[in-house]
Amino acid sequence: MPEGGDRCVDLFKYDDYPNGIHGWQNFFAGLVVSEDAGKYVINTTRRKDDRGHVNLSRNLDVSCLVSNIGRTYHLFGKMRMKDASGNDVASDGNSNASPKLTFSITGGQSNFVQSWNIATTSDGNWAEFSEEITLPIAIEGATRAQIIIDKAEKMEFFITEWGMDLMDSEAPTVSPTALPSLSPSVSPTSSPTASLVPTKAVTLTPTKQPVTAAPVSATPTNLALSGLASADSECWNGFAYKIIDGNANSINHNCCNKYGAWLMVDLGLGTLNYVEKIVVKNRVDCCGGRLKKFHVELLDADKTVVHAKYHEGTVGNAQWREFVVDDGTVARFARIRHDDSIKDCLHIGELEVWGYPTEVPASPEPIIEMATGMEATASSQYNQNSVASKSVDGNINTIHHSKCNEMPWWRVDLGVMSFVQDVKITNRQDCCGGRLRHATVELLDEDLNLVESRYIEGSVGNGQVVQKVFNEETSEARYVQVSFNRNDCLHMAEVNVYGYHLMAKPTSSPTPVPMNLALGKPATQSSTYNSVSDVASMAVDGNYNSFTHTQCHKGYIQWWRVDLEDVYTIASITVGNRLDCCGGRFHDATFYFYDENDQEVYVMPTSGGIGSKKTFSVDFVSARY
């Protein structure tokens, strides 16, 4: 007899109508129970034809599972998938077009999750599923167990003959760490290690996890407080995130220059949320009459409006308006927008979305900050104290500062392809914050191709923080870039990138091996003392007994230059003086660095002589000449 008694032998049976059938739930539509050849069949029904993916779920007796640690349960069943016309639909059992089955035991310290894609057929036959699940000791103390069938968009599920029973202890088992036969995915047990990495990491293992439907809690809360806010525009430091900060005295403020201005709150990638009501709180101090002729909307994951209400009149200062959602709508986004006929400022104190999630990621990756300490580059730097790395050094009192006569850009390498939730830019504190405006924040792939972009329209004040939200399934990038499409100075104190790495990061970086980049490269100089023995190439021939020599006392500044033939990161420069005489002539020299377009990127003055040889440290400048 198993621990827990007879009730733990068969957790549920397909032919037990009250328990086996009625234990199934569908959070997005109804269920129909019928019979086929004497077998009960469950199928989902949809409230709306355009609804996204459906799911079937059922809770299991977690005490039975916990009391039989080390034993093996057999989970089995049959299913079909049909389209809106009632035709059977085939799926490959690998892609997101296939139904996904997830088994989870969670709560306490337990997070045991396994999932499989199911291959269906179009010939009217049932697809069979059968898996053995051995219960690990890690589930001890768990408080919840569940199975979910999920994921096939705009389809209907039909299931029959499902059950889960305890196998004899002598029976062969499948380890929960072994890969089941139907394309499983097991949630990771640790988050990636943040470290500097080489520029390519193509052999690493992806860690991005699928989203699985799971009911959470039926207690309404203000879901917006944990969301991400965005707007059509942001001016006068009225950033969108201020409408979900819990403080009605802080406001967003758009730029007042567009018809149909909008504010939107993303309640979470991979979530759907039952919404009971939306509360709009107007700004307290002034100008409340601008909030008029506006729509309050709920949108699904595809940003299709699934619920809308319209408010015609004005809303006074510090006044609230409550919009009850009375049709059971579930949504990912909440939006307030002016009617398309209105061109005015849109500003409010707070947007509250009251409800509870009905679908959340089963094994969400933890969101981490990914940019600090990573390699950063830029189109130029104003001086040696404003290099690109200053915007990822974790210090808001240092800044990156470009030159002011070009279309500047700044870029950080996240090390590997990464999911980007949002980017926060902290402006310089001391002055000139207004220069950070009309800027583009871009996600770039490994080949520097544009993936997605967001626009900073209004100016950002001194020391202010602007946030740009990405958080889409497609928001995957290796690099994050900030750029201007005009001639101006680009300067920022810090850039923070939040998300998670799609590839596991190595725990340590390889140590770069310094090399002489100038050896044998083309060299030129302002003049030559002796056209045979003193030419510019003598300074890059690897022989300290030969030397270059320009003309003397010509009335103009003498110079020498080497072309590295590509852009390199320069860590140091070593100069060997002539050995026979006249070494004192080399003193107070200035080193200039140029990019591939022959534009000056860095100037390094020195003082004093060098003796026979001296090495000068360089702050990792990228240059060709």
Side-chain angles (χ1 to χ4, degrees), residues 321-342:
R321 291 294 183 269
E322 183 175 293
F323 300 86
V324 176
V325 181
D326 54 9
D327 61 358
T329 298
V330 291
R332 174 180 165 184
F333 300 95
R335 181 171 68 188
I336 176 174
R337 66 176 178 88
H338 272 150
D339 189 76
D340 289 340
S341 64
I342 299 297

Side-chain angles (χ1 to χ4, degrees), residues 21 35 67 88 91 97 111 127 140 225 235 314 336 428 458 597:
I21 299 298
E35 287 192 40
S67 63
D88 282 274
S91 60
N111 188 29
E140 196 168 36
L225 290 175
C235 278
T314 59
I336 176 174
R428 66 183 292 180
N597 298 316

Side-chain angles (χ1 to χ4, degrees), residues 529 547 549-553 577-578 581-589 608-610:
Y529 187 78
F547 57 88
H549 197 312
T550 68
Q551 296 280 352
C552 304
H553 313 299
N577 210 348
R578 66 181 289 181
C581 78
C582 317
R585 290 173 174 170
F586 194 101
H587 63 87
D588 300 325
I610 63 170

Side-chain angles (χ1 to χ4, degrees), residues 394-525:
N395 182 0
I396 62 172
N397 295 308
T398 63
I399 66 169
H400 162 67
H401 195 311
S402 75
K403 291 190 173 181
C404 303
N405 57 353
E406 59 183 355
M407 291 187 289
W409 57 263
W410 176 95
R411 182 188 305 148
V412 63
D413 182 357
L414 302 179
V416 292
M417 285 295 290
S418 304
F419 170 77
V420 177
Q421 173 186 274
D422 65 297
V423 177
K424 293 181 179 178
I425 302 173
T426 303
N427 206 356
R428 66 183 292 180
Q429 299 187 83
D430 54 344
C431 80
C432 319
R435 289 171 172 167
L436 184 56
R437 70 187 188 283
H438 303 307
T440 303
V441 182
E442 299 169 311
L443 304 186
L444 309 176
D445 65 16
E446 289 187 304
D447 298 317
L448 298 179
N449 297 312
L450 177 64
V451 178
E452 293 177 16
S453 65
R454 301 291 185 265
Y455 189 58
I456 301 172
E457 183 166 351
S459 60
V460 180
N462 297 346
Q464 295 292 314
V465 179
V466 60
Q467 178 189 41
K468 288 299 163 183
V469 176
F470 290 88
N471 206 43
E472 301 291 348
E473 291 283 357
T474 54
S475 303
E476 299 178 357
R478 168 75 182 264
Y479 303 92
V480 174
Q481 180 169 288
V482 182
S483 63
F484 288 166
N485 189 27
R486 68 180 190 277
N487 291 329
D488 204 345
C489 310
L490 172 61
H491 42 60
M492 307 171 292
E494 284 297 301
V495 178
N496 297 111
V497 181
Y498 296 91
Y500 56 83
H501 301 296
L502 298 174
M503 309 289 287
K505 296 184 69 180
T507 56
S508 62
S509 300
T511 301
V513 178
M515 58 183 295
N516 183 0
L517 301 171
L519 185 65
K521 297 296 176 66
T524 54
Q525 59 191 18

Side-chain angles (χ1 to χ4, degrees), residues 4-25:
D6 289 335
R7 66 185 176 85
C8 293
V9 175
D10 297 304
L11 288 183
F12 67 93
K13 294 183 179 180
Y14 72 91
D15 56 357
D16 180 354
Y17 186 89
N19 298 315
I21 299 298
H22 280 179
W24 290 96
Q25 305 172 69

Side-chain angles (χ1 to χ4, degrees), residues 13 51 62 92 98 106 118 120 165 183 185 208 210 257 293 295 471 487 491 529 570 621:
K13 294 183 179 180
R51 181 68 64 191
V62 69
D92 59 10
S98 305
T106 57
I118 301 175
T120 57
D165 54 34
S183 303
S185 61
K208 188 176 183 182
N257 58 357
K293 296 184 182 297
H295 302 262
N471 206 43
N487 291 329
H491 42 60
Y529 187 78
I570 300 172
V621 173

